Amino acid sequence: MTHSLHRFGQLQEQDFVWQVYHAKGINDVNIPEKLALVLNVVKKLGSENFGDVKTGPIVCTSEEIIRSRLTVQSRLRGVFTSRAQLMGFLQHMKELDLGLSVIVAGKLDEVLTACKEVGLIPHTVNYSIGVFGRVDLLPSEEVLSITSMCGHHMIAAALAEKLIARVKAGKLSPEEAAKRLACLCPCGIFNPVRASMLLSVFSKGGES
């Protein structure tokens, strides 16, 4: 899905988005039961964030609530921080063969290699070719590395700037700032682990 592709900054080798979708009237039978199986997999693999957009992400709700509210309209999305998790996810999805669309996003060479190693041929490949036009009007690279992890742009640049400043001033820990930001992304594809690491780098004067 294109909303997961335009992620800026460093540490993207620790940032792999996963999504599981179905299509109304085509493969929408027993969706809550099938998605419950997907949750079993991502929980086992330790997905750092995940959720159903109608319920919210695991970082600010509970697994029990997410499970209890699964419906035929649910769409599960989440994020991993390692290639090993990504490969485990693809292998499990291949074995379960639920008849659903499985989408993963990350650095293209890493994702394509992972697919090949588990014996999967991607149906479709989308990729970002960058941003064009008045790029001078964009927020800083620091801010974009945070806000672009919410592909629907539910995290305001001004808020990211404020939290980055508070972390740099020692008034807020990188972990707490990352959690606050992650709760604003209802999809669950915001990577709080990568965000925390980036904020820590920023606080020490590093750049994304």
Side-chain angles (χ1 to χ4, degrees):
M1 299 299 290
T2 54
H3 77 278
S4 65
L5 298 182
H6 307 285
R7 289 154 103 90
F8 282 74
Q10 66 178 354
L11 301 178
Q12 292 192 47
E13 66 279 2
Q14 298 181 49
D15 195 24
F16 298 96
V17 172
W18 61 265
Q19 303 173 66
V20 179
Y21 284 20
H22 62 280
K24 184 178 180 180
I26 297 176
N27 58 344
D28 57 357
V29 177
N30 299 325
I31 292 304
E33 293 80 4
K34 290 179 179 180
L35 293 183
L37 295 176
V38 175
L39 288 178
N40 291 342
V41 170
V42 298
K43 180 183 178 183
K44 177 181 179 181
L45 293 172
S47 183
E48 283 74 12
N49 193 14
F50 61 86
D52 177 358
V53 68
K54 297 184 182 301
T55 305
I58 192 70
V59 291
C60 54
T61 186
S62 69
E63 180 188 347
E64 291 71 25
I65 290 176
I66 293 173
R67 285 181 180 274
S68 69
R69 296 181 182 175
L70 290 175
T71 71
V72 71
Q73 284 84 34
S74 293
R75 302 287 188 275
L76 290 183
R77 307 173 178 93
V79 66
F80 296 121
T81 57
S82 75
R83 187 171 178 276
Q85 290 172 307
L86 173 67
M87 288 190 62
F89 176 70
L90 291 173
Q91 187 63 52
H92 280 294
M93 291 299 99
K94 179 182 177 182
E95 293 170 358
L96 285 172
D97 193 17
L98 299 173
L100 304 175
S101 294
V102 175
I103 305 112
V104 293
K107 297 186 72 173
L108 190 59
D109 55 343
E110 295 279 2
V111 171
L112 292 179
T113 301
C115 289
K116 183 177 181 179
E117 290 183 10
V118 298
L120 292 171
I121 299 175
H123 174 276
T124 304
V125 176
N126 293 322
Y127 59 92
S128 172
I129 59 174
V131 180
F132 300 89
R134 291 293 306 276
V135 294
D136 56 301
L137 299 178
L138 291 172
S140 69
E141 186 81 1
E142 278 188 355
V143 171
L144 287 173
S145 67
I146 298 296
T147 61
S148 62
M149 282 192 280
C150 178
H152 290 113
H153 209 72
M154 301 296 287
I155 299 173
L159 175 62
E161 290 174 351
K162 178 180 179 179
L163 293 182
I164 289 171
R166 293 195 66 192
V167 171
K168 287 182 176 180
K171 297 179 179 179
L172 190 67
S173 72
E175 294 78 14
E176 179 58 31
K179 181 177 180 180
R180 292 188 189 184
L181 291 161
C183 284
L184 298 174
C185 177
C187 284
I189 69 169
F190 186 91
N191 188 334
V193 175
R194 178 179 175 234
S196 177
M197 295 172 69
L198 286 170
L199 289 164
S200 181
V201 170
F202 301 159
S203 71
K204 296 172 184 176
E207 297 181 353
S208 61

